[in-house]
Amino acid sequence: MRSLQPPATEAALIDRADALAGATVGALCDSLGHPCPADLRRHKGFIGDLVEAALGAPAGSASAPDFPALGVELKTIPVRPDGAPRGSTWVCTAPLFALDPGPWRDSAVCARLARVLFVPVLGDGPPATRRFGVPVLWSPSADQEGVLAADWDTLTDLLVERAVGQWTADHGVALQLRPKAASSRHRVEVLDHDGDLVETVPLGFYLRRSFTAEILAIEPRLLRP
DNA sequence: AGCTGATCATGC
DNA sequence: GCATGATCAGCT
């Protein structure tokens, strides 16, 4: 799916993303010579991968931003007609075994969210009919970073305390812990707060819908190109 | 309508 | 097997 050089500058990246706005996923598939699945049930990451290719993200850069030279992470995000996201946004895996996850500023979550290019995707029908909105290049405001840092402390405290029963999605204002696995049958063993060996599902950090809604709260007409 | 827990494909 | 990209689907 890769045929383009990475953008040399942030401005070049934004130009490419802007050029997508208004186009359908089907049209982008055509221009990249890539088949478009009839639904996303068994192709959940398809649009994300497609946009990576369209913007020239280098392939297979694990545990690095999508655009390593620019320090920019790419997120395609499905939005409703009013521009609000349809769901939560994956960030990264949660450290279930760390004795000390460390401070917010040194965290993988902080690094991932330092600079993010959100590419909205409108529509909920067949993928080919969905349409790209105007991208938003975001870095957390001081207020937003405060919320994220507080959540980081809350959630990593639960992990460090081995409060396994509390490892649910109900904690955190902007960030939350959620299962991240191929299935619930995939378990990991951890020691709980009593020192007992218990099984749990691998967890990841996600951004709550309300938080990304705030990020994407821009002039709604921009979302209907 | 929204959230939570469950799930799917692919590449390395 | 794990990390990447997310959406699905049941329940409240």
Side-chain angles (χ1 to χ4, degrees):
Chain A
M1 250 200 239
R2 305 289 190 281
S3 56
L4 197 62
Q5 287 301 112
T9 65
E10 202 171 70
L13 171 60
I14 295 169
D15 283 346
R16 289 182 187 180
D18 280 341
L20 252 38
T24 62
V25 170
L28 183 58
C29 284
D30 289 347
S31 73
L32 295 179
H34 201 275
C36 191
D39 70 79
L40 297 180
R41 225 171 7 155
R42 294 185 174 273
H43 304 274
K44 296 185 178 182
F46 175 77
I47 298 179
D49 291 341
L50 184 73
V51 174
E52 282 188 7
L55 299 183
S61 45
S63 55
D66 294 301
F67 298 94
L70 305 178
V72 173
E73 180 75 16
L74 174 69
K75 293 287 181 198
T76 55
I77 183 165
V79 297
R80 306 182 304 204
D82 67 356
R86 291 185 183 278
S88 52
T89 301
W90 157 253
V91 182
C92 62
T93 55
L96 301 192
F97 305 101
L99 271 47
D100 177 12
W104 160 250
R105 288 226 179 277
D106 297 343
S107 70
V109 179
C110 179
R112 283 284 185 96
L113 299 182
R115 199 131 181 89
V116 182
L117 181 65
F118 288 98
V119 174
V121 182
L122 291 136
D124 59 356
T129 69
R130 303 187 192 190
R131 201 170 284 275
F132 296 108
V134 172
V136 176
L137 183 61
W138 170 80
S139 291
S141 69
D143 283 355
Q144 290 169 332
E145 181 136 21
V147 173
L148 291 167
D151 284 347
W152 171 259
D153 291 343
T154 301
L155 300 179
T156 55
D157 281 353
L158 293 173
L159 298 179
V160 168
E161 290 162 8
R162 325 305 305 161
V164 181
Q166 301 259 89
W167 292 1
T168 61
D170 337 289
H171 309 278
V173 173
L175 277 178
Q176 61 181 168
L177 287 169
R178 298 255 298 280
K180 175 63 170 177
S183 96
S184 57
R185 272 89 72 190
H186 188 357
R187 322 291 295 192
V188 292
E189 288 191 324
V190 298
L191 288 176
D192 72 6
H193 58 98
D194 292 327
D196 295 327
L197 201 56
V198 297
E199 292 192 331
T200 183
V201 169
L203 300 174
F205 292 109
Y206 290 76
L207 291 178
R208 288 189 185 276
R209 202 180 73 85
S210 56
F211 187 76
T212 45
E214 178 189 310
I215 295 169
L216 298 178
I218 56 173
E219 171 53 54
R221 282 173 301 175
L222 291 180
L223 293 159
R224 307 203 193 97

